[in-house]
């Protein structure tokens, strides 16, 4: 790659647990001959997603090319975090051919796109495309894609309803900014669910964008890498709930890190996490847990009541430390109550 050639960047956005890390793992395994670098933005102080990706590092994407920005939204900390990190990636001895950015599930992609106009990087980098992931089963069930007519009817019947929920605004901002939308967990949604989800998303769109189904991150990488969208030059066509605002807040959401003792029964832990989602409205749980008698870490990933767990790699010489990141809307974060359920 010539030093005068702009490095393409793919921004991968999507709500909590939509499958962003799973997609990036697939791209790492099928990079189309490109040397990749990855920037992972976590919500909370424990870098679970970055750790997962580092375990998949190889010659096409070595560990030093995987960078984590934790405990902050990169669209809110452009000068302090994002720009220096991108400059560091571009200054590596072997410059990457393509950069993947995994935003946090709560990030708004449009403010991030605006960062690519910063003088320090605008002549050296371009947004190849914005990929938005949406959980097909959830969208088909009417979550995070509200019916505008129904909302209007509710507003007319109840004066206290004067705005959409924070979750719906995040979801809509993500899909409205996209060059490609992937309906994840297509196997769980089924054909009827995919049809319903596609219809719900198309009803929100102001322009034509391809919407494709995907299961377990498996999709032809040629559909992801090489879109040549130059999205930083097309910002006006990507509407947002926050247009006209100087900044935005993430105070609607919060996270807490729970340290746990070793467990004996992963299925029992999964039931406790389901209880958190059902009774305390927890949106997302992720982390690693030590299981008595098992030399490998148990990776736990939960979206609402859907909990997945698997052993990912040995603990090695590091401490067998069980830590779970729990994410919810701010008023639903009660650390003592969450801990009580997980440790009961």
């Amino acid at each position: 790659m010539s030093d005068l050639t702009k490095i393409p960047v793919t921004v991968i956005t999507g709500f909590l647990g939509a499958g962003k890390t799973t997609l990036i793992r697939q791209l790492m395994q099928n990079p189309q001959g490109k040397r990749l670098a990855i920037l992972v933005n976590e919500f909370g102080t424990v870098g679970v997603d970055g750790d997962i990706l580092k375990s998949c590092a190889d010659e096409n994407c070595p560990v030093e090319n995987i960078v984590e920005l934790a405990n902050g939204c990169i669209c809110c900390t452009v000068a302090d975090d994002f720009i220096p990190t991108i400059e560091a990636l571009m200054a590596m001895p072997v410059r990457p051919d393509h950069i993947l950015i995994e935003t946090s599930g709560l990030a708004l992609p449009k403010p991030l796109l605006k960062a690519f106009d910063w003088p320090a990087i605008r002549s050296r980098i371009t947004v190849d495309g914005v990929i938005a992931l949406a959980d097909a089963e959830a969208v088909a069930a009417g979550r995070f894609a509200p019916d505008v007519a129904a909302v209007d009817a509710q507003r007319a019947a109840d004066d206290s309803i004067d705005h959409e929920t924070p979750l719906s605004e995040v979801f809509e901002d993500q899909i409205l900014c996209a060059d490609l939308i992937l309906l994840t967990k297509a196997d769980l949604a089924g054909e009827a669910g995919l049809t319903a989800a596609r219809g719900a998303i198309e009803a929100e769109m102001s322009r034509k964008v391809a919407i494709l189904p995907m299961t377990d991150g498996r999709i032809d990488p040629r559909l992801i890498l090489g879109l040549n969208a130059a999205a930083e030059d097309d910002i006006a066509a990507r509407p947002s709930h926050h247009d006209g605002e100087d900044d935005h807040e993430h105070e609607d959401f919060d996270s807490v890190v729970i340290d746990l003792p070793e467990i004996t029964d992963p299925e029992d832990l999964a039931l406790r996490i389901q209880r958190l989602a059902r009774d305390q409205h927890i949106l997302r749980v992720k982390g690693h847990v030590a299981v008595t008698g098992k030399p490998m870490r148990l990776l736990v990933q939960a979206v609402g009541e859907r909990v997945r767990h698997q052993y990912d790699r040995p603990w090695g010489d590091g401490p067998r430390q069980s830590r779970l990141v729990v994410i919810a809307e701010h008023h639903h974060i009660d650390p003592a109550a969450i801990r009580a359920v997980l440790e009961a």
Side-chain angles (χ1 to χ4, degrees), residues 210-223:
I211 303 174
L212 304 176
M214 182 178 71
T215 297
D216 293 332
R218 295 191 299 270
I219 194 166
D220 191 328
R222 292 174 298 179
L223 298 172

Side-chain angles (χ1 to χ4, degrees), residues 152-173:
D152 286 341
Q154 286 180 320
R155 183 180 295 115
D158 186 345
D159 292 337
S160 68
I161 300 177
D162 59 1
H163 56 80
E164 294 176 298
T165 66
L167 298 184
S168 70
E169 289 191 3
V170 172
F171 175 79
E172 289 166 16
D173 275 23

